[in-house]
Structures are given as C-alpha cells and as structure tokens.
Amino acid sequence: MEWKRKTIYLPNQNITLTYISNEHLLKDDNKLNPLLLIHGWLDSAESFIVMFTTLHQANIPFYAIDLRGYGDSDKPFPNTELLTQQQEVTDDETNLLLALSPIDKALTSLYSLPTFCKDLNEFVELKLAGKKVNVLGHSMGTIITQCMIRFHHDKLNKVILMGGASTLVNHKILEDMYESDDLLKSSINNLDTIEIMKKAKSEEAIKEFQNTSFFDLINHPPKKEIYEMVIRETSKAPCFMWKVGIEMMLQLKGHYLYNEFTKEDFQKINSSNVFVFFGKGDVLFTKEDQFKLLEQIGFSSEEEKNEHFIEFEGAGHSIQWDKGELVSSELIRILYN
C-alpha cells in the first residue's frame, strides 16, 4: 500500500502541516481511539512507515504528523529585518547572561516545546473533535508527549513513550554533540549565517548522526529502502532545525519554557495507560533513563514497572526502524487491551 502525505492548515497557529493517515477507518462503528504518532528530532512522519501497514490491517486509525520544521511541513523562519534590531541580553534561570540575537530569540518562540504542543492540539481539535487520542512519541517526541500530558491531558487516552527519557537537560551525549559543532553554537546574526542555516546538512553529517540510531549497521543492516528513507527525510530538515531542536531539548538559549516533568503531570492521566518502549541497543538513552522515567510516571513496584516496560532485543534508539513489526504488534496489544 502506498502512503501519501496530506496537508492541513491550522488557522490559530497559522501554519500548514503535512501528515500520513488512514483516517477513512474513523467510522462510527470503530470504537478504537485514533493513534497520534509523534516523530523524533530531525525525523518525519515517514519515521513510522514500517508500522503503517500492520496498524492499518489491525483496523487502527492513525495520524503520523510532520512536525513544523520537519518533513514536508512548513518551516517558518524569522523575518531577516529583525537583524536591524538591537541585540538583546536575556537572564536565564541560573542567572547566567546569554546574548541572543533577535533571530535566535524569534526562532526560540517559533520552535518552542509549547508551540509544538499547540500545533498538535489544534490538529486534534480540527481532525478529531470530541475524540481522545492514543499517542506514541519517539525520542524528542516523548518530551513533546509529556508536554501534551501537562497541558492537554484531557485529549489523551493511552500513551507510549518510545526511546525517550524523563528529561534531556544536561544530557551528556546531546551536550557533546552541541559543543562539538560550531554551526549549532553560532549566533544567527548576519545574512551569511542565515543562508547557511536554511540549507540542509551534508549527507555525510546526516549519515554520521543517523547511523547511531540503528542497532548494528554492519552485522544487522536495515532494509535498503528504510535506510534511504531515513537519510532522505533527515535532509529535509534545514540546519536551523538541527540548531533549534537541540537547543530546545537541552533547554539552552531562552528555551526555559518548562521545568522537568513530574509525577504530578502524569497524575493528570491514568498511569495504567502509560507504557515505555526501549531498544536494548540504544546508545542515546540508557536503561537507567527508562527506569527514571517509569518512576516519574508513578510506578514504584517492580511488578508495575515490568508490566509497563517493553524492551526490544536487537533494536537501537529508533526501535521502529530495526523492529517495526514487533513494535506494531506490542502497540496493537496495548491498544486493544
């Protein structure tokens, strides 16, 4: 089955998003809540493409969305006239002074965690008014999902956090990636930098980054079409999305828009409806990260943790690329239970 993107305009957010869906399954006699699939940093709706057919055959209506800045969705960039404004200085939560250029500051607002959540909330209201949704968030998508739990919990049913963590602040691997890339750290304060930021990263840089998301490229290579899809879709993210995405996750340069999510946030929904998926070969987030997340959700006993924690052998950070059919099977089991 061929999966084609559709478009939707969100008037309140003034942005057009693209998505992939089998929404024709949304019929009165289909009692299942629709499934919202939220991709990770630098990925797109196609990140879940291995799962689409299995979910469709199980009669599960789904929406895989290209978040703003990714895939084929709009990628708004601040007006370059902002360069003529005086540079501002912002005092962050630790009282360290950060000099933000007007462009940097505007990008922070355009691609903040609450902005992503507002997009998704309006999407759900327009497409699924009155229906609660099941949500699967992957990687950065797990942080966006936790933000949705905080602000839009009334729209959520079951939640699956896949390849995520309770927080990405002070995450050493992400910090090292940021500190080693002068382009990511640079201030966007002139036209030459803007021109570079609007281009895609090199294919070499894209492969270097995404190769770590797979379990074992050498001994257990993915299907050729899956690997090519990953590189193709990542190349749709301009350099400024690499920059603003990692700054959002690490809460740098003005992204002090949320505190670490807490048990109080997860108490807004039924914790028995929250599950954690983990690839045993994940080199970005550890098993320890997953158990911190489980405790944050509110699971205290080993029995509760084991019931809501699903570990996938032979899978890396992007579990759906290595074990897409197994992920789909576990997901179907949870959604039908």
Side-chain angles (χ1 to χ4, degrees), residues 155-238:
K155 292 184 173 65
L156 306 183
N157 184 41
K158 294 185 178 180
V159 170
I160 296 89
L161 304 173
M162 181 169 73
S166 59
T167 179
L168 302 181
V169 178
N170 299 321
H171 192 277
K172 188 174 188 313
I173 294 176
L174 290 176
E175 284 185 339
D176 289 347
M177 186 186 305
Y178 185 73
E179 290 298 327
S180 64
D181 192 323
D182 291 337
L183 181 62
L184 296 185
K185 292 189 297 181
S186 64
S187 178
I188 306 177
N189 54 17
N190 60 66
L191 290 174
D192 288 342
T193 306
I194 289 174
E195 185 178 351
I196 294 171
M197 284 291 179
K198 287 186 175 181
K199 295 178 180 179
K201 277 264 196 176
S202 69
E203 183 173 320
E204 180 183 7
I206 290 170
K207 287 182 176 180
E208 181 180 0
F209 169 73
Q210 290 291 22
N211 285 354
T212 63
S213 295
F214 290 91
F215 173 61
D216 184 348
L217 279 177
I218 304 301
N219 299 309
H220 300 279
K223 292 182 179 178
K224 183 172 181 283
E225 59 268 26
I226 297 300
Y227 185 77
E228 290 177 347
M229 175 277 295
V230 171
I231 304 307
R232 181 186 69 246
E233 292 298 305
T234 305
S235 70
K236 292 179 179 179

Coordinates of all heavy atoms in Angstrom, one line a residue, residues 155-238:
K155 N -7.3 15.4 26.3 CA -7.4 14.8 24.9 C -6.7 13.5 24.8 O -6.7 12.9 23.7 CB -6.9 15.8 23.9 CG -7.7 17.1 23.8 CD -7.2 18.0 22.7 CE -8.1 19.2 22.5 NZ -8.2 20.0 23.6
L156 N -6.1 13.0 25.8 CA -5.2 11.8 25.7 C -5.9 10.6 26.4 O -6.5 10.7 27.4 CB -3.9 12.0 26.4 CG -3.1 13.3 25.9 CD1 -1.7 13.3 26.5 CD2 -2.9 13.2 24.4
N157 N -5.7 9.4 25.7 CA -6.1 8.1 26.3 C -4.9 7.3 26.7 O -4.4 7.5 27.8 CB -7.0 7.4 25.2 CG -7.5 6.1 25.8 OD1 -8.0 6.1 26.9 ND2 -7.5 5.1 25.0
K158 N -4.3 6.5 25.8 CA -3.1 5.7 26.2 C -1.9 6.4 25.6 O -2.0 7.1 24.5 CB -3.3 4.3 25.6 CG -4.4 3.5 26.4 CD -4.4 2.1 25.9 CE -5.5 1.3 26.7 NZ -5.6 -0.1 26.3
V159 N -0.8 6.3 26.3 CA 0.4 7.0 25.9 C 1.6 6.0 25.9 O 1.8 5.2 26.9 CB 0.8 8.1 26.9 CG1 2.2 8.7 26.7 CG2 -0.3 9.2 26.8
I160 N 2.4 6.0 24.8 CA 3.5 5.1 24.7 C 4.7 6.1 24.5 O 4.8 6.9 23.5 CB 3.4 4.1 23.6 CG1 2.3 3.2 23.8 CG2 4.7 3.3 23.4 CD1 0.9 3.6 23.3
L161 N 5.7 6.0 25.4 CA 7.0 6.8 25.3 C 8.1 5.8 24.8 O 8.5 4.9 25.5 CB 7.3 7.4 26.6 CG 6.2 8.2 27.2 CD1 6.5 8.7 28.7 CD2 5.9 9.5 26.4
M162 N 8.5 6.1 23.6 CA 9.5 5.1 22.9 C 10.8 5.8 22.7 O 10.9 6.8 22.0 CB 8.9 4.7 21.6 CG 9.8 3.7 20.8 SD 8.9 2.9 19.4 CE 8.8 4.3 18.2
G163 N 11.9 5.2 23.3 CA 13.2 5.7 23.1 C 13.4 7.1 23.7 O 13.9 8.0 23.0
G164 N 12.9 7.3 24.9 CA 12.9 8.6 25.5 C 13.5 8.7 26.8 O 14.3 7.8 27.2
A165 N 13.2 9.8 27.5 CA 13.8 10.0 28.9 C 12.9 11.0 29.6 O 12.0 11.6 29.0 CB 15.2 10.6 28.8
S166 N 13.1 11.1 30.9 CA 12.3 12.0 31.7 C 12.6 13.4 31.4 O 11.8 14.3 31.5 CB 12.4 11.7 33.2 OG 13.8 11.8 33.6
T167 N 13.9 13.7 31.1 CA 14.4 15.0 30.7 C 15.6 14.8 29.8 O 16.3 13.8 29.9 CB 14.7 15.9 31.9 OG1 15.2 17.1 31.5 CG2 15.8 15.2 32.8
L168 N 15.8 15.8 29.0 CA 17.0 15.8 28.2 C 18.0 16.9 28.6 O 19.1 17.1 28.0 CB 16.7 16.0 26.7 CG 15.7 15.0 26.1 CD1 15.4 15.2 24.6 CD2 16.3 13.6 26.3
V169 N 17.6 17.7 29.6 CA 18.5 18.7 30.1 C 19.8 18.1 30.7 O 19.7 17.1 31.4 CB 17.8 19.6 31.2 CG1 18.7 20.6 31.8 CG2 16.6 20.2 30.6
N170 N 20.9 18.6 30.4 CA 22.2 18.1 30.9 C 22.5 16.7 30.3 O 23.3 16.0 31.0 CB 22.3 18.1 32.4 CG 22.2 19.5 33.0 OD1 22.7 20.5 32.5 ND2 21.4 19.6 34.1
H171 N 21.9 16.3 29.2 CA 22.2 15.0 28.6 C 23.6 15.1 28.0 O 23.8 15.8 27.0 CB 21.1 14.7 27.6 CG 21.1 13.2 27.2 ND1 22.0 12.8 26.2 CD2 20.4 12.2 27.6 CE1 21.8 11.5 26.0 NE2 20.9 11.1 26.8
K172 N 24.5 14.3 28.4 CA 25.9 14.4 28.0 C 26.1 14.2 26.5 O 26.9 14.9 25.9 CB 26.8 13.4 28.8 CG 28.3 13.6 28.6 CD 29.1 12.8 29.5 CE 30.6 13.2 29.3 NZ 31.1 13.3 28.0
I173 N 25.5 13.1 26.0 CA 25.7 12.9 24.5 C 25.2 14.0 23.7 O 25.9 14.5 22.8 CB 24.9 11.6 24.1 CG1 25.6 10.4 24.8 CG2 25.0 11.4 22.6 CD1 24.9 9.0 24.6
L174 N 24.0 14.6 24.0 CA 23.5 15.7 23.3 C 24.4 17.0 23.5 O 24.6 17.7 22.6 CB 22.0 16.0 23.7 CG 21.0 15.0 23.3 CD1 19.6 15.4 23.8 CD2 20.9 15.0 21.7
E175 N 24.8 17.2 24.7 CA 25.7 18.3 25.0 C 27.0 18.2 24.3 O 27.5 19.2 23.7 CB 26.0 18.4 26.5 CG 24.8 18.9 27.4 CD 25.2 19.1 28.8 OE1 26.2 18.4 29.3 OE2 24.5 19.8 29.5
D176 N 27.6 17.0 24.2 CA 28.8 16.8 23.4 C 28.6 17.1 22.0 O 29.5 17.7 21.3 CB 29.4 15.4 23.6 CG 29.9 15.2 25.0 OD1 30.1 16.2 25.8 OD2 30.1 14.0 25.4
M177 N 27.5 16.7 21.4 CA 27.1 16.9 20.0 C 27.0 18.4 19.8 O 27.5 18.9 18.8 CB 25.8 16.2 19.7 CG 25.4 16.3 18.2 SD 23.8 15.6 17.9 CE 24.0 13.9 18.7
Y178 N 26.4 19.1 20.7 CA 26.2 20.5 20.5 C 27.6 21.3 20.6 O 27.9 22.1 19.8 CB 25.3 21.0 21.6 CG 24.9 22.5 21.5 CD1 24.0 22.9 20.6 CD2 25.4 23.4 22.4 CE1 23.7 24.3 20.5 CE2 25.1 24.8 22.4 CZ 24.2 25.2 21.4 OH 23.8 26.5 21.3
E179 N 28.3 20.9 21.6 CA 29.6 21.6 21.8 C 30.6 21.4 20.7 O 31.5 22.2 20.5 CB 30.2 21.2 23.2 CG 29.4 21.7 24.4 CD 29.4 23.2 24.5 OE1 30.4 23.9 24.0 OE2 28.4 23.8 24.9
S180 N 30.5 20.2 20.0 CA 31.5 19.9 19.0 C 31.1 20.5 17.6 O 31.9 20.3 16.7 CB 31.6 18.4 18.9 OG 30.4 17.8 18.5
D181 N 30.0 21.1 17.5 CA 29.5 21.7 16.2 C 29.4 23.2 16.3 O 28.5 23.7 16.9 CB 28.1 21.0 15.9 CG 27.7 21.3 14.4 OD1 28.0 22.4 14.0 OD2 27.1 20.4 13.8
D182 N 30.4 23.9 15.7 CA 30.4 25.3 15.8 C 29.2 25.9 15.1 O 28.7 27.0 15.5 CB 31.6 25.9 15.1 CG 32.9 25.6 15.9 OD1 32.8 25.4 17.1 OD2 34.0 25.5 15.3
L183 N 28.6 25.3 14.1 CA 27.4 25.8 13.4 C 26.2 25.8 14.4 O 25.5 26.8 14.4 CB 27.1 25.0 12.2 CG 25.9 25.5 11.4 CD1 26.1 26.8 10.8 CD2 25.6 24.5 10.2
L184 N 26.1 24.8 15.2 CA 24.9 24.7 16.1 C 25.1 25.8 17.2 O 24.1 26.4 17.6 CB 24.9 23.3 16.8 CG 24.6 22.1 15.9 CD1 24.4 20.9 16.7 CD2 23.3 22.4 15.0
K185 N 26.3 26.0 17.6 CA 26.5 27.0 18.7 C 26.5 28.5 18.2 O 26.3 29.4 19.0 CB 27.8 26.8 19.4 CG 27.9 25.5 20.2 CD 29.2 25.4 21.0 CE 30.4 25.4 20.1 NZ 31.7 25.3 20.9
S186 N 26.6 28.7 16.9 CA 26.8 30.0 16.4 C 25.5 30.8 16.6 O 24.4 30.3 16.5 CB 27.2 30.0 14.9 OG 26.2 29.4 14.1
S187 N 25.6 32.1 16.8 CA 24.5 33.0 16.8 C 24.1 33.4 15.4 O 25.0 33.6 14.5 CB 24.9 34.3 17.6 OG 23.8 35.2 17.6
I188 N 22.8 33.5 15.1 CA 22.3 33.8 13.8 C 22.2 35.3 13.7 O 21.1 35.9 14.0 CB 21.0 33.1 13.4 CG1 21.1 31.6 13.7 CG2 20.6 33.4 12.0 CD1 19.9 30.8 13.4
N189 N 23.2 36.0 13.3 CA 23.2 37.5 13.4 C 23.7 38.2 12.2 O 23.9 39.4 12.2 CB 24.1 37.9 14.6 CG 25.5 37.3 14.5 OD1 25.9 36.9 13.4 ND2 26.3 37.4 15.6
N190 N 23.7 37.5 11.0 CA 24.0 38.1 9.8 C 23.5 37.3 8.6 O 23.1 36.1 8.8 CB 25.5 38.3 9.6 CG 26.3 37.0 9.6 OD1 26.2 36.1 8.8 ND2 27.1 36.8 10.7
L191 N 23.4 37.9 7.4 CA 22.8 37.3 6.3 C 23.5 36.0 5.8 O 22.9 35.0 5.4 CB 22.6 38.3 5.1 CG 21.6 39.4 5.3 CD1 21.7 40.4 4.2 CD2 20.2 38.8 5.4
D192 N 24.8 36.0 5.9 CA 25.6 34.9 5.5 C 25.3 33.6 6.4 O 25.1 32.5 5.9 CB 27.1 35.2 5.6 CG 27.6 36.1 4.6 OD1 26.9 36.3 3.6 OD2 28.7 36.7 4.8
T193 N 25.1 33.9 7.7 CA 24.8 32.7 8.6 C 23.4 32.2 8.3 O 23.1 31.0 8.3 CB 24.9 33.2 10.1 OG1 26.1 33.8 10.3 CG2 24.6 32.0 11.0
I194 N 22.5 33.2 8.0 CA 21.1 32.8 7.7 C 21.1 31.9 6.4 O 20.4 30.9 6.4 CB 20.2 34.0 7.5 CG1 20.0 34.7 8.8 CG2 18.9 33.7 6.8 CD1 19.2 36.1 8.7
E195 N 21.8 32.3 5.4 CA 21.9 31.5 4.2 C 22.4 30.1 4.4 O 21.8 29.1 3.9 CB 22.8 32.2 3.2 CG 22.8 31.5 1.8 CD 23.7 32.2 0.8 OE1 24.2 33.3 1.1 OE2 23.9 31.6 -0.3
I196 N 23.4 29.9 5.3 CA 23.9 28.6 5.7 C 22.8 27.8 6.4 O 22.6 26.6 6.2 CB 25.2 28.7 6.5 CG1 26.3 29.3 5.6 CG2 25.6 27.3 7.0 CD1 27.5 29.7 6.4
M197 N 22.2 28.5 7.4 CA 21.2 27.9 8.3 C 20.0 27.3 7.5 O 19.3 26.4 8.0 CB 20.7 28.8 9.4 CG 21.8 29.0 10.5 SD 22.0 27.5 11.5 CE 23.2 28.1 12.6
K198 N 19.7 27.9 6.4 CA 18.5 27.5 5.6 C 18.8 26.3 4.7 O 17.8 25.7 4.1 CB 17.9 28.7 4.8 CG 17.2 29.7 5.6 CD 16.6 30.8 4.8 CE 15.8 31.8 5.6 NZ 15.1 32.8 4.8
K199 N 20.0 25.9 4.6 CA 20.4 24.8 3.8 C 20.4 23.5 4.6 O 20.4 23.5 5.8 CB 21.8 25.0 3.2 CG 21.9 26.1 2.2 CD 23.3 26.3 1.7 CE 23.4 27.5 0.7 NZ 24.8 27.7 0.2
A200 N 20.4 22.4 3.9 CA 20.5 21.1 4.6 C 21.9 20.8 5.1 O 22.9 21.3 4.5 CB 20.0 20.0 3.7
K201 N 22.0 20.0 6.1 CA 23.4 19.5 6.5 C 23.9 18.6 5.3 O 23.1 18.1 4.5 CB 23.3 18.7 7.8 CG 23.3 19.5 9.0 CD 24.7 19.6 9.6 CE 24.7 20.1 11.0 NZ 26.1 20.1 11.6
S202 N 25.2 18.4 5.3 CA 25.8 17.5 4.3 C 25.3 16.0 4.5 O 24.9 15.6 5.7 CB 27.3 17.5 4.4 OG 27.7 16.9 5.6
E203 N 25.3 15.3 3.5 CA 24.9 13.9 3.6 C 25.8 13.1 4.5 O 25.3 12.2 5.3 CB 24.9 13.2 2.2 CG 24.4 11.8 2.2 CD 24.3 11.2 0.8 OE1 23.8 11.9 -0.1 OE2 24.6 10.0 0.7
E204 N 27.0 13.5 4.5 CA 28.0 12.8 5.5 C 27.6 13.1 6.9 O 27.6 12.2 7.7 CB 29.4 13.4 5.2 CG 30.5 12.7 6.1 CD 31.8 13.3 5.9 OE1 32.0 14.3 5.1 OE2 32.8 12.8 6.5
A205 N 27.2 14.3 7.2 CA 26.8 14.7 8.6 C 25.5 14.0 9.0 O 25.4 13.5 10.1 CB 26.7 16.2 8.7
I206 N 24.6 13.9 8.0 CA 23.3 13.2 8.3 C 23.5 11.8 8.6 O 23.0 11.2 9.5 CB 22.4 13.4 7.1 CG1 21.9 14.9 7.0 CG2 21.2 12.5 7.1 CD1 21.2 15.2 5.7
K207 N 24.4 11.1 7.8 CA 24.6 9.7 8.0 C 25.3 9.4 9.3 O 25.0 8.5 10.0 CB 25.4 9.1 6.8 CG 24.6 8.9 5.5 CD 25.5 8.3 4.4 CE 24.6 8.1 3.2 NZ 25.4 7.5 2.1
E208 N 26.3 10.3 9.6 CA 27.0 10.1 10.9 C 26.1 10.2 12.1 O 26.2 9.4 13.0 CB 28.1 11.2 11.0 CG 28.9 11.1 12.3 CD 30.0 12.2 12.4 OE1 30.1 13.1 11.4 OE2 30.7 12.2 13.4
F209 N 25.1 11.1 12.0 CA 24.2 11.3 13.1 C 23.2 10.1 13.1 O 23.0 9.4 14.2 CB 23.4 12.6 12.9 CG 22.2 12.7 13.8 CD1 22.4 12.9 15.2 CD2 20.9 12.5 13.4 CE1 21.3 12.9 16.1 CE2 19.8 12.6 14.2 CZ 20.0 12.8 15.6
Q210 N 22.6 9.8 12.0 CA 21.5 8.8 12.0 C 22.0 7.3 12.1 O 21.3 6.5 12.6 CB 20.6 8.9 10.7 CG 19.7 10.1 10.7 CD 18.6 10.1 11.7 OE1 18.7 9.4 12.7 NE2 17.6 10.9 11.5
N211 N 23.3 7.1 11.7 CA 23.8 5.7 11.9 C 23.8 5.3 13.3 O 23.6 4.1 13.6 CB 25.3 5.7 11.4 CG 25.3 5.7 9.8 OD1 24.3 5.7 9.2 ND2 26.5 5.8 9.3
T212 N 23.8 6.2 14.3 CA 23.8 5.8 15.7 C 22.4 5.4 16.2 O 22.3 4.9 17.3 CB 24.3 7.0 16.6 OG1 23.5 8.1 16.4 CG2 25.7 7.4 16.2
S213 N 21.4 5.7 15.3 CA 20.0 5.4 15.7 C 19.7 3.9 15.5 O 18.7 3.4 16.0 CB 19.1 6.3 15.0 OG 19.2 7.7 15.4
F214 N 20.5 3.3 14.6 CA 20.2 1.9 14.3 C 20.9 1.0 15.3 O 21.9 1.4 15.9 CB 20.7 1.6 12.9 CG 19.8 2.2 11.8 CD1 20.1 3.4 11.3 CD2 18.7 1.5 11.3 CE1 19.4 4.0 10.3 CE2 17.9 2.1 10.3 CZ 18.3 3.4 9.8
F215 N 20.5 -0.3 15.3 CA 21.1 -1.2 16.3 C 22.5 -1.6 15.9 O 23.4 -1.4 16.7 CB 20.2 -2.5 16.3 CG 20.8 -3.6 17.1 CD1 21.1 -3.4 18.5 CD2 21.1 -4.8 16.6 CE1 21.7 -4.4 19.2 CE2 21.6 -5.9 17.3 CZ 21.9 -5.7 18.7
D216 N 22.7 -2.1 14.7 CA 24.0 -2.6 14.2 C 24.0 -2.6 12.7 O 23.6 -3.5 12.1 CB 24.3 -4.0 14.8 CG 25.7 -4.5 14.5 OD1 26.4 -3.9 13.6 OD2 26.1 -5.5 15.0
L217 N 24.5 -1.5 12.1 CA 24.5 -1.3 10.7 C 25.4 -2.3 10.0 O 25.1 -2.7 8.8 CB 25.0 0.1 10.3 CG 24.0 1.2 10.4 CD1 24.6 2.6 10.1 CD2 22.8 1.0 9.5
I218 N 26.5 -2.8 10.6 CA 27.4 -3.7 10.0 C 26.9 -5.1 10.0 O 26.8 -5.7 8.9 CB 28.8 -3.6 10.7 CG1 29.3 -2.2 10.8 CG2 29.8 -4.6 10.0 CD1 29.5 -1.6 9.4
N219 N 26.5 -5.6 11.1 CA 26.1 -7.0 11.2 C 24.6 -7.3 11.0 O 24.2 -8.4 10.7 CB 26.5 -7.6 12.6 CG 28.0 -7.5 12.8 OD1 28.8 -8.0 11.9 ND2 28.5 -7.0 13.9
H220 N 23.8 -6.2 11.3 CA 22.4 -6.3 11.1 C 21.8 -5.1 10.4 O 21.1 -4.3 10.9 CB 21.7 -6.4 12.5 CG 22.1 -7.6 13.3 ND1 21.6 -8.9 13.1 CD2 23.0 -7.7 14.3 CE1 22.2 -9.7 13.9 NE2 23.1 -9.1 14.7
P221 N 22.2 -4.9 9.1 CA 21.8 -3.8 8.4 C 20.3 -3.7 8.1 O 19.7 -4.8 7.9 CB 22.6 -3.9 7.0 CG 22.8 -5.4 6.9 CD 23.0 -5.9 8.3
P222 N 19.7 -2.5 8.1 CA 18.3 -2.4 7.8 C 18.0 -2.6 6.4 O 19.0 -2.7 5.5 CB 18.0 -1.0 8.3 CG 19.3 -0.2 8.0 CD 20.4 -1.2 8.4
K223 N 16.8 -2.7 6.0 CA 16.5 -2.8 4.6 C 16.9 -1.5 3.9 O 16.9 -0.4 4.5 CB 14.9 -2.9 4.4 CG 14.4 -4.3 4.9 CD 12.9 -4.4 4.6 CE 12.4 -5.7 5.0 NZ 10.9 -5.8 4.9
K224 N 17.4 -1.7 2.7 CA 18.0 -0.5 1.9 C 17.0 0.6 1.8 O 17.4 1.8 2.0 CB 18.4 -1.0 0.5 CG 19.1 0.1 -0.3 CD 19.6 -0.6 -1.6 CE 20.3 0.4 -2.5 NZ 19.4 1.3 -3.2
E225 N 15.7 0.3 1.6 CA 14.7 1.4 1.4 C 14.5 2.1 2.7 O 14.1 3.3 2.7 CB 13.4 0.8 0.8 CG 12.7 -0.2 1.7 CD 13.1 -1.6 1.3 OE1 14.2 -1.8 0.8 OE2 12.3 -2.6 1.6
I226 N 14.6 1.4 3.8 CA 14.4 2.1 5.1 C 15.6 3.1 5.4 O 15.4 4.2 5.8 CB 14.3 1.1 6.3 CG1 13.1 0.2 6.1 CG2 14.3 1.8 7.6 CD1 11.8 1.0 6.1
Y227 N 16.8 2.6 5.2 CA 18.0 3.5 5.4 C 17.9 4.7 4.5 O 18.2 5.8 4.9 CB 19.3 2.7 5.1 CG 20.5 3.5 5.5 CD1 20.9 3.7 6.8 CD2 21.3 4.1 4.5 CE1 22.0 4.4 7.1 CE2 22.4 4.8 4.8 CZ 22.8 5.0 6.1 OH 23.9 5.7 6.5
E228 N 17.6 4.5 3.2 CA 17.5 5.6 2.3 C 16.4 6.6 2.7 O 16.5 7.8 2.5 CB 17.2 5.0 0.8 CG 18.4 4.3 0.3 CD 18.2 3.7 -1.1 OE1 17.0 3.7 -1.5 OE2 19.1 3.3 -1.8
M229 N 15.3 6.0 3.2 CA 14.2 6.9 3.7 C 14.7 7.8 4.8 O 14.4 9.0 4.8 CB 13.0 6.1 4.1 CG 11.8 6.9 4.7 SD 12.1 7.3 6.5 CE 12.0 5.6 7.2
V230 N 15.4 7.2 5.7 CA 15.9 8.0 6.9 C 16.8 9.1 6.5 O 16.6 10.3 6.9 CB 16.6 7.0 7.9 CG1 17.3 7.9 9.0 CG2 15.7 6.0 8.5
I231 N 17.7 8.8 5.6 CA 18.6 9.9 5.1 C 17.9 10.9 4.3 O 18.1 12.2 4.5 CB 19.8 9.3 4.2 CG1 20.5 8.2 5.0 CG2 20.7 10.3 3.8 CD1 21.0 8.6 6.4
R232 N 17.0 10.5 3.4 CA 16.2 11.4 2.6 C 15.3 12.4 3.5 O 15.3 13.6 3.3 CB 15.3 10.7 1.7 CG 14.4 11.6 0.8 CD 13.4 10.8 0.0 NE 12.3 10.2 0.8 CZ 12.2 8.9 1.0 NH1 13.0 8.0 0.4 NH2 11.2 8.5 1.8
E233 N 14.6 11.8 4.5 CA 13.8 12.6 5.3 C 14.6 13.6 6.2 O 14.2 14.7 6.5 CB 12.8 11.7 6.1 CG 11.8 11.0 5.3 CD 10.9 11.9 4.6 OE1 10.2 12.7 5.2 OE2 10.8 11.8 3.3
T234 N 15.7 13.1 6.7 CA 16.5 14.0 7.6 C 17.1 15.1 6.8 O 17.2 16.2 7.3 CB 17.7 13.2 8.2 OG1 17.2 12.0 8.8 CG2 18.5 14.0 9.1
S235 N 17.3 14.9 5.5 CA 17.9 16.0 4.6 C 16.8 17.1 4.4 O 17.2 18.2 4.0 CB 18.3 15.4 3.3 OG 17.2 15.1 2.5
K236 N 15.6 16.9 4.8 CA 14.5 17.9 4.6 C 14.6 18.9 5.7 O 14.0 20.0 5.6 CB 13.2 17.2 4.6 CG 12.9 16.4 3.3 CD 11.5 15.8 3.4 CE 11.2 14.9 2.1 NZ 9.9 14.3 2.2
A237 N 15.3 18.6 6.8 CA 15.4 19.5 8.0 C 16.6 20.5 7.7 O 17.7 20.0 7.6 CB 15.6 18.7 9.3
P238 N 16.3 21.7 7.6 CA 17.4 22.7 7.4 C 18.3 22.8 8.6 O 17.9 22.4 9.7 CB 16.7 24.0 7.1 CG 15.3 23.9 7.7 CD 15.0 22.4 7.6

